[in-house]
Amino acid sequence: MRIADIQYNDITNGEGIVLSLWLQGCPHKCNGCHNQETWDFEKGREFTHNDFQHILNYIDKGVERDLSILGGEPLYEKNIEDLLHFLESFKKQYPSKKVYIWSGYTLEEIFKDDKKSKILNYIDILIDGKYDSKKKNITLKLRGSENQRIIDMKSTLKNKKVILFKDLNI
């Protein structure tokens, strides 16, 4: 898994303050994407054990933070194993922290892939779907186009149907 950046005090990509982990590499290459610098799979740097430990130690330093994982494409095949290990460990240490993940894949596409779908158990909020510049809407919270959804993953898995977040306090 390669990372593009870590932002420790992000107030844009979640409710309140979040630590944002930006992964490197994206197969979608959406027209109008504002993160084109994260497309190249060779750029960025390897996510190390030190990065992992630093995130675990920093997440509550001075202020409580949740975790946002963006990209690039967090659910790209080459990221799945490392991301799953990271999220399992993160949720074990911080079970009440929210984990947000942005993916160009739809929830339905993720469910069709056994490896990707395992990650859903560790996500609280999934923002799914490719950015569509024809459906751009700058007034939307946590997403850039109207086709993207903010999905409550815990409720979705429990009810076995898609449950959207309607009332985010952001």
Side-chain angles (χ1 to χ4, degrees):
M1 182 165 80
R2 298 188 68 76
I3 63 172
D5 193 19
I6 299 174
Q7 292 179 324
Y8 295 97
N9 296 301
D10 187 347
I11 58 170
T12 304
N13 296 302
E15 295 179 271
I17 301 170
V18 297
L19 186 149
S20 289
L21 175 62
W22 295 81
L23 300 186
Q24 185 70 42
C26 185
H28 307 299
K29 298 180 175 48
C30 301
N31 184 37
C33 173
H34 74 280
N35 294 325
Q36 291 183 20
E37 66 278 2
T38 65
W39 288 1
D40 189 334
F41 292 98
E42 302 304 315
K43 292 193 176 176
R45 64 179 177 78
E46 245 349 271
F47 183 72
T48 67
H49 181 71
N50 286 341
D51 293 317
F52 172 72
Q53 287 301 318
H54 189 68
I55 288 171
L56 290 180
N57 295 333
Y58 195 89
I59 197 84
D60 277 339
K61 192 171 189 174
V63 64
E64 289 187 24
R65 296 168 184 82
D66 288 318
L67 177 67
S68 291
I69 303 174
L70 313 96
E73 175 53 66
L75 300 183
Y76 179 64
E77 290 76 22
K78 291 183 180 180
N79 293 335
I80 297 299
E81 188 176 320
D82 290 337
L83 184 58
L84 182 60
H85 173 71
F86 170 71
L87 289 174
E88 286 173 340
S89 298
F90 182 84
K91 278 296 200 174
K92 186 175 184 180
Q93 186 164 339
Y94 295 107
S96 63
K97 292 221 173 276
K98 286 183 188 168
V99 173
Y100 300 78
I101 288 190
W102 279 255
S103 178
Y105 299 109
T106 64
L107 179 61
E108 293 77 12
E109 291 170 323
I110 296 166
F111 273 135
K112 290 178 184 175
D113 184 308
D114 290 338
K115 290 180 182 179
K116 288 177 187 165
S117 64
K118 288 179 185 176
I119 286 177
L120 298 174
N121 295 305
Y122 301 98
I123 298 172
D124 296 284
I125 300 168
L126 173 68
I127 295 85
D128 80 335
K130 295 176 186 173
Y131 171 74
D132 184 341
S133 60
K134 293 176 183 160
K135 296 180 181 178
K136 179 180 179 177
N137 183 339
I138 62 170
T139 68
L140 297 173
K141 295 178 180 180
L142 300 180
R143 59 208 195 280
S145 60
E146 293 175 358
N147 60 297
Q148 297 171 308
R149 302 177 292 182
I150 302 173
I151 300 171
D152 178 337
M153 280 312 308
K154 300 297 180 208
S155 295
T156 293
L157 293 172
K158 180 181 176 184
N159 294 294
K160 296 183 179 9
K161 66 177 186 173
V162 176
I163 307 292
L164 300 178
F165 262 110
K166 302 210 186 295
D167 300 318
L168 286 175
N169 298 320
I170 53 174

